[in-house]
Amino acid sequence: MRVLFSFPHALGAPGIGWTAWNQVDGLARLGHDIHVVAASVARPVPSGVRVTETLAIGGKRIPHRAVGRDRAFAWHDARAARLVADGGYDLVHLWPTGPGRTAQAARAQRIAVVREAPNTHTEYAWKVVGDEVAALGLAGEVDTAHTANALRLRMEQADWEAATAILAPSDFVARTFREAGFSDDRILRHRYGFLPGSRRTRPRSASAAPLRAVYVGLGEPRKGLHYALEAWLASEASRDGTFTIVGRMLPAYAELLAPQLAHPSVRVIGFSHHVDAALAASDVLLLPTIEEGSALVTYEAQAQGCVPLVSTASGAVLDDGVHGFFHTPRDVASLTDHLDLVARDREALARMSAAAIDHSAQLTWDAAARVLADCYESARERANMNGTHAWPR
């Protein structure tokens, strides 16, 4: 399939740049003809992948802030739209954010358009995160990517309205789009993944031992670290176990959590490039996020035999009670119960750890690429069936 892949950030950079890079890499290795249109490329793409950089001159990246983020996004969108207008593509894959010109150009050419939804529906995310920040008394002190922005919402809506389908990486994300009025047949479920490494992974031992828990991610209200700390300190596991926090902390949030962070069982190590090692050294991953797309760390944890104890908003791909445990967002009591269970019953922990390792073979980026390619085919079929692309929400 001939695909124009529009990514208005640095492809291959940490965060969504890494996610998008792995999508391109997996699709290329499946034999698809990929033309990447990215602001810049931070990691080399496979041979045969064509690249157009919209915010780079002579191999030097131009930061978005140098020209203004909104102007940079609009410039990227206009460049991608011109390429689409020239024709020759079977499908356009869009990542946010842009004013919608690329999607509209594809629609005019009757080319299928899929729009990545790396997080929940934007208005849902703003409300949930805004309510959480306010409830913690941090309004005006914590500014994240989920702070309401009317211009960004208009950009998102322009893409959504012109797109053939929305790519939802989790059931939770899909639900928020359905609740916003999108029909089921306009939501395609795909997934993200992880890259297998050389580390030899063993299931956790069934022998009695203090529980080792880990949190990996930005320390912010959205990720629910405060709920993880509350559950940890209420659990039996905190008596002799350890809870390690890996990730940068937002200063105001860290100050709010200072009493819990000072507990003898809690260790804060900050940002690390060695997430796989942190997961391999832990028994369970705590991620009680309140809003997420599909956290890559939940894939990586299973590959390392680290049992996910996560919220349903984390976007984790697992069978509840088999590879890990789910709890509803903000349900501290259930997370505490899950911690107590695995701390008391090491045989259950060992069994779930082994099941997670076995399951991880289905969670690689190669497996994700095959699912994404199937979504592309579904979008093309829908576009051909509807012809005009005049989709209801």
Side-chain angles (χ1 to χ4, degrees):
M1 194 180 298
R2 297 160 300 175
V3 179
L4 184 140
F5 191 98
S6 176
F7 187 74
H9 308 276
L11 188 77
I16 59 171
W18 173 245
T19 300
W21 185 92
N22 278 288
Q23 290 180 327
V24 169
D25 179 67
L27 290 166
R29 285 187 289 108
L30 285 177
H32 295 286
D33 180 4
I34 310 298
H35 182 181
V36 169
V37 183
S40 58
V41 175
R43 181 185 178 93
V45 297
S47 60
V49 174
R50 291 175 291 160
V51 175
T52 297
E53 293 182 282
T54 59
L55 283 175
I57 297 177
K60 299 286 187 178
R61 178 185 174 189
I62 302 173
H64 287 64
R65 64 180 179 275
V67 294
R69 288 183 63 81
D70 294 338
R71 187 176 296 142
F73 289 140
W75 171 253
H76 172 91
D77 194 29
R79 289 282 304 277
R82 286 198 293 272
L83 290 168
V84 169
D86 290 340
Y89 301 101
D90 300 309
L91 180 135
V92 172
H93 183 157
L94 298 176
W95 275 74
T97 305
R101 293 190 185 95
T102 306
Q104 291 161 9
R107 177 174 174 172
Q109 294 282 333
R110 299 200 172 190
I111 300 170
V113 183
V114 291
R115 171 55 156 70
E116 190 79 35
N119 291 299
T120 57
H121 187 280
T122 305
E123 290 178 293
Y124 174 89
W126 289 348
K127 183 179 188 314
V128 168
V129 176
D131 288 350
E132 195 70 24
V133 169
L136 292 171
L138 294 175
E141 297 184 59
V142 173
D143 185 21
T144 72
H146 289 73
T147 301
N149 181 314
L151 177 59
R152 179 185 165 192
L153 179 60
R154 288 196 296 273
M155 289 180 175
E156 299 254 355
Q157 289 171 333
D159 275 349
W160 295 335
E161 289 170 4
T164 311
I166 305 297
L167 289 172
S170 71
D171 290 338
F172 190 78
V173 169
R175 192 196 84 192
T176 65
F177 275 86
R178 283 195 299 271
E179 291 175 350
F182 287 73
S183 59
D184 280 338
D185 60 350
R186 283 200 66 212
I187 302 170
L188 298 176
R189 277 283 285 109
H190 71 321
R191 66 174 63 165
Y192 297 146
F194 80 98
L195 282 182
S198 58
R199 181 186 299 276
R200 185 175 181 182
T201 305
R202 297 180 184 276
R204 301 304 179 264
S205 171
S207 301
L211 190 72
R212 302 165 300 171
V214 67
Y215 167 96
V216 178
L218 177 64
E220 62 170 339
R222 169 181 171 249
K223 290 281 191 175
L225 176 57
H226 49 297
Y227 294 122
L229 284 164
E230 186 179 348
W232 173 257
L233 297 177
S235 75
E236 297 175 8
S238 64
R239 296 174 187 171
D240 58 0
T242 55
F243 180 25
T244 302
I245 298 169
V246 180
R248 180 175 65 86
M249 297 281 291
L250 297 184
Y253 188 56
E255 184 178 350
L256 177 73
L257 301 180
Q260 294 98 315
L261 295 174
H263 191 273
S265 67
V266 178
R267 301 183 302 173
V268 181
I269 65 173
F271 177 81
S272 173
H273 289 290
H274 305 291
V275 168
D276 58 342
L279 293 168
S282 303
D283 299 313
V284 295
L285 167 71
L286 305 187
L287 187 61
T289 184
I290 62 167
E291 189 280 327
E292 191 95 42
S294 187
L296 300 191
V297 70
T298 63
Y299 298 78
E300 295 165 353
Q302 293 181 69
Q304 298 298 335
C306 182
V307 177
L309 308 183
V310 299
S311 79
T312 52
S314 68
V317 179
L318 58 83
D319 291 332
D320 189 30
V322 178
H323 312 116
F325 282 120
F326 279 127
H327 61 273
T328 57
R330 303 185 179 89
D331 186 353
V332 173
S334 290
L335 179 54
T336 304
D337 288 344
H338 296 157
L339 280 165
D340 286 340
L341 188 155
V342 293
R344 292 176 194 153
D345 190 346
R346 293 289 301 198
E347 289 187 1
L349 174 67
R351 185 168 58 251
M352 296 175 78
S353 176
I357 293 170
D358 289 343
H359 185 227
S360 68
Q362 303 173 39
L363 304 179
T364 64
W365 278 114
D366 281 345
R370 291 191 290 272
V371 175
L372 181 57
D374 287 343
C375 289
Y376 284 0
E377 290 292 350
S378 295
R380 284 186 69 192
E381 289 174 7
R382 178 177 171 84
N384 291 335
M385 182 172 56
N386 287 272
T388 62
H389 287 56
W391 318 126
R393 289 186 68 188

